[in-house]
Amino acid sequence: MKISFIGAGNVAWHMAQAFEDKGHHICEIYSRSLTNAKALVGKLFDAKAVTSLDFSNSEADLFVLAIKDDAFHIVLNELILPENSILVHTSGTKSLEILSNWQRNIEDDSISVGVFYPLMTFSKSKKLNFAEVPLCLEAENTETEKTIVKLAQEISKIVYLVDTEERKVLHLAAVFSNNFVNHLLGIAQDIMEDNDLEMSLLKPIILETVSKALQAENIHEVQTGPARRGDQKTIKSHLELLKNYPQNEKIYRVMSESVMNYFNPE
Amino acid sequence: MKISFIGAGNVAWHMAQAFEDKGHHICEIYSRSLTNAKALVGKLFDAKAVTSLDFSNSEADLFVLAIKDDAFHIVLNELILPENSILVHTSGTKSLEILSNWQRNIEDDSISVGVFYPLMTFSKSKKLNFAEVPLCLEAENTETEKTIVKLAQEISKIVYLVDTEERKVLHLAAVFSNNFVNHLLGIAQDIMEDNDLEMSLLKPIILETVSKALQAENIHEVQTGPARRGDQKTIKSHLELLKNYPQNEKIYRVMSESVMNYFNPE
């Protein structure tokens, strides 16, 4: 297929290269910032960096809207696509409807819309195996669904049809298991480095934590630590160590309280 | 060496077997509960399950106190060890001093004390490679230090000398990177299962989260998600999804606030 990306952020960065690796042609990369668009174009075979949202002369069959959620309104307002193309977005929180409404608005029935949500955390600097990225798809009609499922299966082994409500739940679960986990690991790193201890010492327990959780039928059941044991003395001494870090102290309190509540509900 | 364990919990379970695998002889396994002691004895070559803390006739050279922090007082009160033995505890939070005080109390200078703290999360049901478990050691004199360092290096590739204050910090960092991470993953699993979504869909993002964090020079810098972007609309819609889960809602608020504060300090 001929594919263009609207957006040159972390998602576009990895997805565009994954498509190209499977022989698809990336036509245009749009970004408000030409520098950003060019950076991604530089990783691709024959794509063009553009800063206009008028794609009426584009040869692409598929447009991937990979932008921040709060840019949807402004981008959709200006977006012009060629006839008979498909537009998908990659957002975990935006509905399919937002694209259907746009399509009704421009009054071009030949354009069909869908969702192509990768349940993954991407950073430009970190390579990853796209085949392991779960792709959660939704489309407004069966034909478009067929097209994007086929495409998705070329770049990933894990392809699911997921509706807008389910996708929102997936995104919420991803916030807990990625965003918040990353923040906790960042705090652990701060604690180590503030005390001149090597972060590498924590590496084995972090790897084991995840390995154990992913094997557990019920992850709460493999919970260990002072809160699990209701060990108030240790909790108190940890809070003492955190007294000059009010934000971390708050997290410690709320997490410990939640663990204790899980095992001894009031 | 001849080694006895006081305690038959998760730590003793893995450590006793690791010692035996390297040719050491496990003499006794003490537990208040004979059933627990026997369960571990059943995994060992020739150990004896005991429920008395009088080890005066034991042949062991080393006694490993692997009990809950709040059992120290009662166990040390009753503990009788043979002359010329070494007593180490495995706690992240207890000082070396608690054992030196005990030793002064029993007035036996021939017994020396130390700490043998494994920076790891253990569950009986989950096998692990003990060679990858960081062992953090402390001893009251150089001779004992030498003995336990040599022993530690036989069962693990990662052996550090760590004093009591540093060990407390390590334990605190482990609470953030193990206990709290596990709890978040448990919540993510609850969210998935409450919505009939397969937990396996989250596996790739969880693995990538850790892989990315452990490669990052500064883990906060690889933070992604709504809080990182200051995306209030998505945060609000997530809080709406959590409105019937007050504990999870509280965690969501506190974690998001902390991420936002990190990137936009007030």
Side-chain angles (χ1 to χ4, degrees):
Chain A
M1 285 184 90
K2 292 177 179 162
I3 306 172
S4 287
F5 277 81
I6 299 151
N10 295 332
V11 173
W13 186 268
H14 287 275
M15 203 182 276
Q17 295 184 66
F19 280 135
E20 199 173 83
D21 286 348
K22 295 295 168 183
H24 297 283
H25 180 75
I26 309 299
C27 307
E28 291 104 4
I29 303 289
Y30 162 88
S31 170
R32 269 185 312 179
S33 139
L34 192 62
T35 318
N36 284 356
K38 279 188 171 166
L40 175 49
V41 160
K43 306 294 279 184
L44 300 167
F45 176 62
D46 188 27
K48 212 167 70 183
V50 301
T51 55
S52 153
L53 286 162
D54 181 354
F55 290 93
S56 40
N57 295 315
S58 170
E59 291 190 346
D61 324 296
L62 174 72
F63 293 83
V64 180
L65 190 62
I67 57 176
K68 285 183 190 169
D69 283 352
D70 53 15
F72 267 66
H73 183 70
I74 197 162
V75 166
L76 288 178
N77 226 11
E78 290 182 30
L79 185 63
I80 304 172
L81 297 190
E83 281 182 9
N84 299 309
S85 56
I86 299 176
L87 173 66
V88 294
H89 75 62
T90 60
S91 162
T93 42
K94 291 290 176 187
S95 60
L96 173 63
E97 225 186 347
I98 199 173
L99 298 189
S100 325
N101 288 344
W102 167 81
Q103 178 231 45
R104 255 197 302 280
N105 224 23
I106 58 158
E107 293 182 352
D108 183 346
D109 279 351
S110 80
I111 296 177
S112 64
V113 299
V115 179
F116 207 94
Y117 169 56
L119 185 53
M120 184 45 70
T121 170
F122 298 102
S123 297
K124 287 180 186 170
S125 58
K126 172 78 167 59
K127 282 205 177 174
L128 58 77
N129 179 6
F130 212 95
E132 300 292 340
V133 175
L135 294 174
C136 306
L137 312 184
E138 187 179 9
E140 59 167 351
N141 62 53
T142 337
E143 201 191 336
T144 306
E145 186 181 297
K146 256 191 201 161
T147 307
I148 64 176
V149 165
K150 187 170 168 286
L151 189 71
Q153 286 172 337
E154 289 179 40
I155 57 173
S156 171
K157 293 187 291 188
I158 314 163
V159 176
Y160 281 78
L161 290 172
V162 163
D163 68 27
T164 294
E165 286 314 305
E166 288 171 325
R167 193 172 61 252
K168 279 186 188 170
V169 172
L170 283 175
H171 187 240
L172 174 64
V175 167
F176 276 88
S177 47
N178 165 263
N179 300 171
F180 295 167
V181 165
N182 188 79
H183 189 59
L184 288 179
L185 297 178
I187 291 170
Q189 184 180 45
D190 296 340
I191 293 171
M192 296 294 276
E193 293 181 351
D194 286 354
N195 290 279
D196 292 321
L197 291 162
E198 286 174 42
M199 182 61 191
S200 64
L201 258 170
L202 288 181
K203 192 177 166 178
I205 196 172
I206 292 169
L207 291 173
E208 178 66 11
T209 301
V210 166
S211 150
K212 202 156 98 173
L214 291 176
Q215 280 182 34
E217 201 162 317
N218 178 342
I219 296 176
H220 295 294
E221 290 306 320
V222 299
Q223 184 71 43
T224 56
R228 163 75 200 251
R229 297 191 301 270
D231 177 351
Q232 293 292 350
K233 210 172 155 188
T234 300
I235 290 173
K236 218 176 138 188
S237 83
H238 284 165
L239 290 172
E240 180 65 24
L241 286 172
L242 292 170
K243 69 176 178 215
N244 295 322
Y245 303 85
Q247 201 82 56
N248 296 349
E249 191 189 330
K250 207 169 182 182
I251 290 175
Y252 189 101
R253 278 185 201 281
V254 169
M255 294 298 297
S256 295
E257 180 189 289
S258 179
V259 171
M260 287 188 284
N261 268 343
Y262 184 88
F263 290 100
N264 294 297
E266 276 151 16
Chain B
M1 286 183 88
K2 291 176 179 163
I3 306 172
S4 286
F5 277 81
I6 299 151
N10 295 332
V11 173
W13 186 267
H14 287 275
M15 202 182 278
Q17 296 185 67
F19 281 135
E20 200 174 82
D21 286 349
K22 295 296 169 183
H24 298 284
H25 180 78
I26 310 298
C27 307
E28 291 104 3
I29 303 289
Y30 162 87
S31 171
R32 268 184 313 178
S33 139
L34 193 62
T35 319
N36 283 356
K38 279 188 171 166
L40 175 49
V41 161
K43 306 294 282 185
L44 300 167
F45 177 61
D46 188 27
K48 211 167 71 184
V50 301
T51 56
S52 154
L53 284 162
D54 180 353
F55 289 93
S56 40
N57 295 315
S58 170
E59 291 189 344
D61 325 296
L62 173 73
F63 292 83
V64 180
L65 190 62
I67 57 176
K68 284 183 191 169
D69 283 353
D70 53 15
F72 267 67
H73 184 70
I74 198 162
V75 166
L76 288 177
N77 226 11
E78 290 181 30
L79 185 64
I80 304 172
L81 296 191
E83 281 181 10
N84 299 309
S85 56
I86 299 176
L87 174 66
V88 294
H89 75 63
T90 60
S91 162
T93 43
K94 291 290 177 186
S95 60
L96 173 62
E97 226 186 346
I98 199 170
L99 297 189
S100 324
N101 289 344
W102 168 82
Q103 178 231 46
R104 256 196 303 280
N105 225 23
I106 58 160
E107 293 180 353
D108 183 347
D109 278 351
S110 79
I111 295 177
S112 65
V113 299
V115 179
F116 207 93
Y117 168 55
L119 184 54
M120 184 46 69
T121 169
F122 297 103
S123 297
K124 288 180 186 171
S125 59
K126 172 79 167 62
K127 284 205 176 176
L128 57 77
N129 180 7
F130 213 96
E132 300 293 340
V133 175
L135 293 174
C136 306
L137 311 184
E138 187 179 8
E140 59 167 353
N141 62 53
T142 337
E143 201 190 336
T144 307
E145 186 181 295
K146 254 191 201 160
T147 308
I148 65 174
V149 165
K150 186 169 168 287
L151 189 70
Q153 285 172 339
E154 289 179 39
I155 57 172
S156 172
K157 293 187 291 188
I158 314 163
V159 176
Y160 280 78
L161 290 172
V162 164
D163 68 27
T164 293
E165 286 314 305
E166 288 171 326
R167 194 173 60 252
K168 279 186 188 170
V169 172
L170 282 175
H171 187 241
L172 175 64
V175 166
F176 276 89
S177 47
N178 164 263
N179 300 173
F180 295 167
V181 165
N182 187 80
H183 189 59
L184 288 179
L185 297 179
I187 292 169
Q189 185 180 43
D190 295 340
I191 294 172
M192 296 294 276
E193 293 182 352
D194 286 354
N195 291 280
D196 293 320
L197 291 161
E198 287 175 41
M199 182 61 190
S200 64
L201 258 170
L202 288 181
K203 192 177 166 178
I205 196 173
I206 292 170
L207 292 172
E208 178 66 12
T209 301
V210 166
S211 149
K212 203 156 99 171
L214 291 176
Q215 279 182 33
E217 201 161 317
N218 178 342
I219 296 176
H220 295 294
E221 289 307 320
V222 298
Q223 184 72 43
T224 56
R228 164 76 199 252
R229 295 193 303 270
D231 177 351
Q232 294 292 351
K233 210 171 154 189
T234 299
I235 291 174
K236 220 177 137 188
S237 83
H238 284 165
L239 290 172
E240 180 64 23
L241 285 173
L242 292 169
K243 69 177 176 211
N244 295 322
Y245 305 86
Q247 202 82 54
N248 296 349
E249 190 189 329
K250 208 169 181 182
I251 290 175
Y252 190 100
R253 277 185 201 280
V254 169
M255 293 298 296
S256 295
E257 181 189 288
S258 180
V259 171
M260 285 188 284
N261 267 343
Y262 184 89
F263 290 99
N264 294 297
E266 275 152 16

